[in-house]
Amino acid sequence: MITLVLFDVVLWCVASAIAAVGRLEFDPQAVSWDGVVLLAATLIVVFLALGRITRVHQGRAKVATVDETILLGIVALTAGATVSILNLFFQVVPRTVPLIAAFVALLFMLLGRAAFRSLVTTEDRRAAADRDHRVVVVGAGDAGRQVIGSMLGTRTSPWLPVAMVDDDRAKRHLKIGGVPVRGRIDDLVAVAETYDADSVVVAIPSAGRELFQRISAIAHPVGLDVKVLPSVTELFHGRAGIRDLRDIDLSDILGRKQIETDLGSIADYLTGKRVLVTGAGGSIGSELCRQISKFSPERLYMLDRDESALHAVQLSIYGHGLLDTDDMLLCDIRDSEALNAIFATRKPEVVFHAAALKHLPMLEQYPVEGIKTNVLGTLNVLLAAERQGVSKFVNISTDKAADPESVLGYTKRVAEGLTSYIAGRTSGTYLSVRFGNVLGSRGSVLESFARQIATGGPVTVTHPNITRYFMTIPEAVQLVIQAAAVGADAEALVLDMGEPIKIDYVARQLIAQSGKSIQITYTGLRPGEKMHEDLVASEEAERRDKHPLISHVDVPPVNPKIAEWIAARSSADARGMLRDVCASMSLNDQAQDVSPAKA
């Protein structure tokens, strides 16, 4: 502080002399030096007084920053203007000298500070020359400027910025902290080779999935490690720095931010109610139970045929896995008698039906097993719920039910139709929720890829161009809980999951993050597998009248008698019948109603 004050005092003296000599046509003999001394003293006193008020020398702004430049300009020119007014009355020096002195002093002060900043930056770069990672920064905007400043200004940082790339041609000659822009994003590999860089930092907080894909496709094949900054909203309350750098995560892969729902404002239908979740031990079911438990239901019943899964979910919610309470229900939904007994004794008011067989290749081999669980099991739960008078019933479906081509898709489409049928003859609200692949769920591609990477590969992908819709477990569960609040009878609710994503891209991202050299093997499409999934069937008309990211589609009913008839067929016949039922999905007039007692 004292050094900076003395520096400015000297500059005011020099500036006053230069202004006086310059005003009098550079004739030192014509200058009244007593007046110049008085002028300099007055300018220094006023400047230091204003500086004290604005704390220009007390660290209000960092030296040689834009903020300090503006503040210093205001103080210096105000001091010059103030002394000019005083000089009008006392005529110590020619009238224009105080203002000339103010401009000269300000110029010198700014040049001196800039030289100091340049010297410090040069020293920082010299000290950082032996850091672990040489970095090419993608993006020469404000975030790039902040990241470079943070890297150079943090002596313990392992990162050394050596070059930048940016597609904005107006920035092609730009330098930030001595770090030059050396090309466009497509030049990334050449720039990295020129500067011997091993890492890439994407300093574009607004970057979307397409840009991440583009940069990853360029960087990963040559072994460049890719780091990213958080999004604009994550940076809203702070500046971008090296502590913000992270690997590409699920939000980057999704190409959108995870959808957050204010469940507290819509889930009051759970408070004080008896709630039952089937498939409670699964990825979706267990997260449902954890979320529902936060809304203080009168009782939360968790039903599954897997005792180990029930043990895990009880442990995650209550901190113990004793399995000795009447809310832990060991039951197979195929067993209608046991299911009816449970509904009769527990009397649930809200039901979330998450139990299902979901692995496509397995169901293609054993279609009858898929029918027994996904069709008849769902029917058993529906009829038990109808008999008990359940007020809200949510059937969890899949995007494979839209224009289905697999046994999994057929059975889930029929399950949607059964839910719609029961909705038409009961006073409660019965509906379905349809979503795509759930990242992180048991058996998901994310889990499969992670296991393959852990064992050294290869990572198996069916086709380089195959795409899927993705969502996270929290998004899926929020949609399910919200569905019961905003959905209507006989509907399927569909989350807007953005654009479909190439499975190959997800695999490459995970491999790159692992740091391992692992091959990808393409196995080809399996029976019943689509190249691209749909969220809404071709004949369905979607509407969005409750939530901007949730579509509603009407589901034609399927008579339970038809479901039982399908179940009685052989494996070959059953698959064909499922396909035919899904093709029509208007069979409620082809068979007589079947009562709960007969079912």
Side-chain angles (χ1 to χ4, degrees), residues 61-142:
K62 194 173 180 180
V63 174
T65 61
V66 173
D67 291 339
E68 194 212 31
T69 298
I70 295 173
L71 186 62
L72 195 63
I74 292 173
V75 172
L77 295 179
T78 301
T82 302
V83 174
S84 290
I85 294 172
L86 293 174
N87 186 58
L88 291 176
F89 295 100
F90 299 102
Q91 288 292 314
V92 175
V93 292
R95 286 176 298 176
T96 57
V97 170
L99 281 178
I100 295 173
F103 279 104
V104 172
L106 177 60
L107 175 63
F108 286 170
M109 284 188 282
L110 294 179
L111 288 175
R113 283 163 168 79
F116 171 77
R117 179 72 174 270
S118 178
L119 179 63
V120 170
T121 300
T122 301
E123 290 179 353
D124 286 341
R125 290 190 62 81
R126 288 173 181 169
D130 59 350
R131 289 181 180 177
D132 295 337
H133 301 288
R134 296 171 64 84
V135 177
V136 176
V137 177
V138 179
D142 290 339

Side-chain angles (χ1 to χ4, degrees), residues 473-537:
I473 291 177
E475 284 181 314
V477 168
Q478 288 181 23
L479 173 64
V480 171
I481 293 176
Q482 182 163 288
V486 304
D489 271 343
E491 286 186 337
L493 273 64
V494 185
L495 176 68
D496 182 348
M497 291 182 280
E499 295 298 318
I501 302 169
K502 285 187 177 182
I503 302 291
D504 185 65
Y505 169 69
V506 176
R508 293 185 183 279
Q509 285 294 103
L510 294 175
I511 291 172
Q513 290 184 22
S514 74
K516 299 179 180 179
S517 179
I518 295 176
Q519 296 295 318
I520 293 179
T521 300
Y522 299 106
T523 59
L525 290 176
R526 298 167 294 186
E529 191 169 30
K530 294 181 181 179
M531 182 71 77
H532 309 290
E533 294 286 1
D534 300 301
L535 293 171
V536 178

Side-chain angles (χ1 to χ4, degrees), residues 133 301 450 552:
H133 301 288
Y301 296 109
H552 299 244

Side-chain angles (χ1 to χ4, degrees), residues 226-413:
V226 180
K227 300 289 183 182
V228 298
L229 278 177
S231 68
V232 171
T233 53
E234 291 173 305
L235 292 176
F236 188 76
H237 296 292
R239 297 173 67 83
I242 56 173
R243 294 180 180 86
D244 300 307
L245 297 182
R246 57 169 172 79
D247 291 324
I248 296 175
D249 65 11
L250 292 183
S251 295
D252 304 321
I253 293 175
L254 288 171
R256 57 178 173 80
K257 288 300 156 189
Q258 296 187 43
I259 296 170
E260 296 290 340
T261 301
D262 181 13
L263 294 180
S265 65
I266 62 172
D268 56 346
Y269 68 89
L270 298 172
T271 303
K273 297 295 194 300
R274 296 181 298 277
V275 183
L276 184 145
V277 178
T278 71
S283 304
I284 298 297
S286 60
E287 181 64 19
L288 261 173
C289 292
R290 284 187 286 270
Q291 293 293 331
I292 292 169
S293 67
K294 298 176 182 178
F295 297 104
S296 304
E298 177 186 324
R299 199 71 168 158
L300 173 58
Y301 296 109
M302 292 170 272
L303 183 150
D304 204 292
R305 66 177 182 178
D306 185 340
E307 59 179 346
S308 297
L310 286 175
H311 175 272
V313 69
Q314 187 183 45
L315 189 65
S316 70
I317 295 175
Y318 301 116
H320 68 82
L322 299 177
L323 298 177
D324 59 354
T325 53
D326 67 354
D327 59 344
M328 309 305 293
L329 308 174
L330 187 62
C331 179
D332 192 331
I333 61 171
R334 296 181 178 189
D335 188 341
S336 61
E337 184 176 343
L339 201 59
N340 287 331
I342 285 173
F343 271 73
T345 56
R346 272 62 172 191
K347 302 185 183 305
E349 299 168 271
V350 180
V351 173
F352 293 94
H353 176 46
L357 296 178
K358 63 178 183 178
H359 287 284
L360 186 148
M362 186 64 74
L363 295 185
E364 288 298 313
Q365 292 186 67
Y366 304 101
V368 172
E369 293 301 308
I371 292 169
K372 288 178 181 178
T373 296
N374 295 354
V375 176
L376 292 184
T378 297
L379 179 58
N380 288 338
V381 179
L382 283 165
L383 293 176
E386 180 189 27
R387 185 180 293 106
Q388 182 54 43
V390 167
S391 61
K392 291 185 182 292
F393 185 103
V394 179
N395 168 53
I396 297 177
S397 188
T398 170
D399 59 352
K400 293 174 177 59
D403 292 330
E405 294 181 6
S406 63
V407 171
L408 173 58
Y410 294 145
T411 57
K412 298 300 279 185
R413 179 65 168 165

Side-chain angles (χ1 to χ4, degrees), residues 174-231:
L174 180 66
K175 275 190 176 183
I176 297 176
V179 180
V181 173
R182 287 305 188 202
R184 300 163 61 84
I185 293 176
D186 289 339
D187 303 319
L188 184 58
V189 173
V191 172
E193 290 177 350
T194 300
Y195 288 87
D196 194 26
D198 58 13
S199 301
V200 175
V201 170
V202 183
I204 307 176
S206 61
R209 173 169 56 88
E210 293 77 9
L211 182 58
F212 287 124
Q213 285 181 322
R214 178 185 170 194
I215 294 171
S216 296
I218 295 172
H220 287 154
V222 295
L224 290 172
D225 185 30
V226 180
K227 300 289 183 182
V228 298
L229 278 177
S231 68

